[in-house]
Amino acid sequence: MTLVAPIVVDYEASADLATLLVRTTEGETLNVSAEQLRVSCKCAHCTRARFDGRFPERFPGIAITEIGDLGYGLNISFSDGHNRGIYPKPYLLSLAGR
């Protein structure tokens, strides 16, 4: 028996822009909140802000403003102006609990 991990095949922001909807090869639709995505950003800017103790613990009311597909991951822009984060598709699945 071979186990194959699900793969992201499609995505979109919810109508209210508060959630990323991710569809997998298994036919699942998974949800990741915009706030969880923003808090989980691993770009150099956010990593440095965490190291310096300047990174917020929450981003209430944050919205997804743009999604760029880079093939291996998504570049997601947020309503606070942050647009540096690249979220590899396996990382998105882990954020969604898969």
Side-chain angles (χ1 to χ4, degrees):
M1 174 190 226
T2 303
L3 297 176
V4 178
I7 298 170
V8 173
V9 293
D10 196 20
Y11 58 87
E12 67 180 325
S14 62
D16 65 359
L17 305 178
T19 306
L20 178 69
L21 308 171
V22 178
R23 284 180 268 308
T24 72
T25 50
E26 295 178 343
E28 295 177 290
T29 299
L30 307 171
N31 302 316
V32 185
S33 74
E35 183 173 23
Q36 182 181 3
L37 289 166
R38 185 65 182 89
V39 166
S40 302
C41 182
K42 293 187 177 193
C43 78
H45 176 77
C46 291
T47 299
R48 183 64 199 200
R50 279 188 197 88
F51 181 77
D52 291 343
R54 299 180 290 108
F55 194 79
E57 291 182 22
R58 296 195 61 234
F59 289 87
I62 196 89
I64 297 168
T65 58
E66 190 173 344
I67 304 170
D69 193 333
L70 304 174
Y72 69 95
L74 303 180
N75 174 233
I76 302 175
S77 300
F78 298 93
S79 57
D80 67 351
H82 188 68
N83 63 359
R84 299 176 185 200
I86 297 173
Y87 298 80
K89 290 176 181 176
Y91 183 50
L92 289 172
L93 293 175
S94 72
L95 291 174
R98 288 289 285 139

